[in-house]
Amino acid sequence: DAGVTQSPTHLIKTRGQQVTLRCSPISGHKSVSWYQQVLGQGPQFIFQYYEKEERGRGNFPDRFSARQFPNYSSELNVNALLLGDSALYLCASSLGSGLPDHEQYFGPGTRLTVT
Amino acid sequence: AQKITQTQPGMFVQEKEAVTLDCTYDTSDPSYGLFWYKQPSSGEMIFLIYQGSYDQQNATEGRYSLNFQKARKSANLVISASQLGDSAMYFCAMMETSYDKVIFGPGTSLSVIP
């Protein structure tokens, strides 16, 4: 079975631009979560979506938004990019949204560089 | 307040030896889950092991075991018979049932020495 896939792998953007990152979960998984990992730190939770509804949101500004599609794939959008948005963006999928179905499997990530 | 603490920024272990990576957590939720992930230099986060707060026995997965001490709010990862491929960052994480999000600790860098 295919794992979690993310696209693109790498991305370079300029300050003020907008970016869209994509994620496809493992087949059968209905929940997708997004994380930002700055170099040298642990991942920081951004969003969780389950059955196309937002189930959780981390402490990120409104410039960050996401959605989940009927096929459970997801997009993360970031507007008005700042230098500090440079990070590895990780997508994780799980069967459900609550324990114990919340064992998450991560994709390879999208490396975003903002110049 | 930091909810996940990993006090060992870096650890070294001899190949074939066992190593314990420390993790303490803070929560008032009686129902929660604890996870350990491995992140090699390639960047991908690999799920290792899960422990539920109501699980009676410590979780084990192959060479990985979780030393769960609920009263001390501790969930240490034990890796037995270390291999060179175990060199990576290791993250402890927690999910509380009250909140639909997973919180990660700062990580521990493990280096396995031949």
Side-chain angles (χ1 to χ4, degrees):
Chain A
D1 285 342
V4 178
T5 60
Q6 291 186 245
S7 63
T9 305
H10 295 86
L11 203 52
I12 300 175
K13 289 286 189 177
T14 304
R15 277 175 296 176
Q17 285 188 317
Q18 175 264 341
V19 67
T20 298
L21 311 181
R22 295 176 175 83
C23 172
S24 291
I26 292 171
S27 177
H29 284 193
K30 298 182 178 181
S31 178
V32 169
S33 298
W34 287 96
Y35 295 85
Q36 180 195 67
Q37 187 178 22
V38 173
L39 193 64
Q41 298 181 16
Q44 297 293 312
F45 173 80
I46 309 175
F47 287 110
Q48 189 213 359
Y49 276 78
Y50 176 68
E51 291 282 15
K52 300 181 291 295
E53 291 189 359
E54 182 183 303
R55 296 296 297 268
R57 173 185 283 257
N59 294 326
F60 281 81
D62 292 342
R63 299 185 295 108
F64 289 76
S65 64
R67 56 180 175 168
Q68 186 177 34
F69 300 99
N71 66 354
Y72 302 110
S73 67
S74 178
E75 287 182 351
L76 174 70
N77 296 286
V78 186
N79 294 323
L81 285 167
L82 303 174
L83 294 179
D85 295 331
S86 296
L88 180 67
Y89 288 84
L90 294 164
C91 171
S93 78
S94 58
L95 280 171
S97 99
L99 300 170
D101 291 333
H102 203 76
E103 292 181 27
Q104 295 186 318
Y105 297 87
F106 283 78
T110 294
R111 174 77 61 187
L112 173 64
T113 301
V114 182
T115 62
Chain B
Q2 189 169 354
K3 293 212 168 186
I4 300 286
T5 302
Q6 294 180 255
T7 58
Q8 307 152 313
M11 291 277 288
F12 291 89
V13 64
Q14 204 76 34
E15 193 178 6
K16 301 181 184 177
E17 297 291 315
V19 62
T20 298
L21 306 184
D22 294 341
C23 172
T24 58
Y25 59 92
D26 181 30
T27 180
S28 55
D29 194 330
S31 178
Y32 52 91
L34 297 158
F35 306 82
W36 276 92
Y37 288 88
K38 171 185 178 182
Q39 189 176 42
S41 56
S42 60
E44 187 167 357
M45 197 75 72
I46 302 167
F47 167 76
L48 295 177
I49 197 166
Y50 166 80
Q51 178 85 44
S53 60
Y54 291 118
D55 292 344
Q56 294 297 313
Q57 294 188 331
N58 287 344
T60 60
E61 290 287 349
R63 294 188 299 112
Y64 305 107
S65 60
L66 200 151
N67 183 2
F68 181 46
Q69 298 186 46
K70 194 171 182 176
R72 298 180 60 185
K73 293 187 176 178
S74 147
N76 298 339
L77 176 70
V78 180
I79 305 175
S80 63
S82 296
Q83 302 172 357
L84 295 178
D86 293 335
S87 294
M89 284 292 292
Y90 288 80
F91 291 97
C92 178
M94 176 178 68
M95 181 187 181
E96 300 162 308
T97 53
S98 303
Y99 303 98
D100 283 317
K101 65 179 180 180
V102 177
I103 302 167
F104 282 79
T108 294
S109 175
L110 177 66
S111 298
V112 180
I113 304 167

